[in-house]
Amino acid sequence: RKEVEQDPGPFNVPEGATVAFNCTYSNSASQSFFWYRQDCRKEPKLLMSVYSSGNEDGRFTAQLNRASQYISLLIRDSKLSDSATYLCVVTANQGGKLIFGQGTELSVKP
Amino acid sequence: NAGVTQTPKFRVLKTGQSMTLLCAQDMNHEYMYWYRQDPGMGLRLIHYSVGEGTTAKGEVPDGYNVSRLKKQNFLLGLESAAPSQTSVYFCASSSTFMGQGIYEQYFGPGTRLTVT
């Protein structure tokens, strides 16, 4: 079993749609959780951290369920510019190391 | 402020050749990392460093060596390149682990390596 697993995708949605990405992780000792965004052939960039209480940043909402070892990302009112691959990321046991999911590709169409 | 830079951006090697990838960061970060990214596999950690003069193995270290002689630089070496090492290589850096969480990792633009 992979340490971090994401929806395989790709997700093809129209502009204005709401889309949700799911992610599960296997290491119950993981302490920090993130969503990164990666545009085609570019480097990953931090989209948002994920907190136990859930957090929102504009059209983006991230949720964490430690009991189920599950992370989600909700994007409301999708824009063409949201088209990218979204990477679910958790910390490993040892400080400073991140474990990346394989990514879920999102394509927002006019 | 350049952030994280990588050299070169593209490279084609023949099997058995060697090369060194250079990563430089100007943010005074303690932690530096080398990842490879292959289709359908996500980013996999090759080696990392928690400070100048220290390195450690990641998930896929075989066939690679690293050195961190200066805080701002992290070098990745391929001693004898193989076609299986064809990939996109990303370097990243982050601030010191602070207990409850870690700081954001900043990535370089990547090096696209093809081994024929």
Side-chain angles (χ1 to χ4, degrees):
Chain A
R1 179 186 174 188
K2 291 181 182 177
E3 290 190 68
V4 179
E5 294 202 63
Q6 297 184 236
D7 290 333
F11 283 50
N12 296 301
V13 303
E15 267 188 296
T18 295
V19 60
F21 300 136
N22 300 315
C23 172
T24 57
Y25 61 96
S26 62
N27 185 355
S28 59
S30 295
Q31 294 183 345
S32 300
F33 310 88
F34 309 90
W35 284 100
Y36 274 69
R37 171 192 168 130
Q38 185 174 26
D39 293 292
C40 186
R41 300 176 69 82
K42 298 274 185 73
E43 69 272 25
K45 292 184 180 178
L46 180 67
L47 177 66
M48 58 195 304
S49 300
V50 186
Y51 303 119
S52 296
S53 55
N55 50 301
E56 188 173 305
D57 183 2
R59 297 181 293 107
F60 298 83
T61 300
Q63 303 230 312
L64 168 65
N65 184 324
R66 285 188 185 269
S68 302
Q69 296 178 209
Y70 168 88
I71 305 161
S72 67
L73 176 68
L74 184 76
I75 305 176
R76 292 181 299 278
D77 189 22
S78 299
K79 312 290 185 191
L80 296 177
S81 57
D82 293 334
S83 296
T85 296
Y86 291 83
L87 305 170
C88 176
V89 186
V90 307
T91 50
N93 275 335
Q94 296 158 281
K97 289 169 59 179
L98 299 180
I99 307 295
F100 286 77
Q102 77 273 29
T104 301
E105 184 181 346
L106 171 65
S107 179
V108 182
K109 306 292 187 185
Chain B
N1 188 341
V4 180
T5 57
Q6 292 184 231
T7 310
K9 289 186 169 50
F10 302 93
R11 186 71 186 269
V12 178
L13 287 180
K14 290 186 179 354
T15 297
Q17 287 185 319
S18 64
M19 77 164 294
T20 300
L21 282 66
L22 171 63
C23 176
Q25 53 97 1
D26 62 2
M27 296 173 282
N28 201 35
H29 285 167
E30 292 292 335
Y31 281 53
M32 296 188 75
Y33 315 82
W34 275 107
Y35 295 90
R36 61 176 289 172
Q37 186 174 36
D38 303 292
M41 299 292 289
L43 283 117
R44 293 181 292 168
L45 184 65
I46 304 171
H47 286 279
Y48 66 104
S49 168
V50 301
E52 182 179 322
T54 70
T55 63
K57 293 181 180 180
E59 184 185 356
V60 289
D62 294 341
Y64 305 95
N65 57 75
V66 287
S67 65
R68 182 100 180 268
L69 297 179
K70 293 182 179 180
K71 186 177 183 178
Q72 63 267 33
N73 295 337
F74 196 27
L75 278 62
L76 178 72
L78 286 74
E79 290 183 345
S80 180
S84 61
Q85 294 177 304
T86 293
S87 188
V88 180
Y89 291 86
F90 287 103
C91 175
S93 70
S94 68
S95 295
T96 308
F97 181 66
M98 298 297 288
Q100 290 305 309
I102 66 170
Y103 289 114
E104 174 183 357
Q105 286 193 10
Y106 294 84
F107 284 80
T111 295
R112 283 158 181 78
L113 175 66
T114 301
V115 183
T116 62

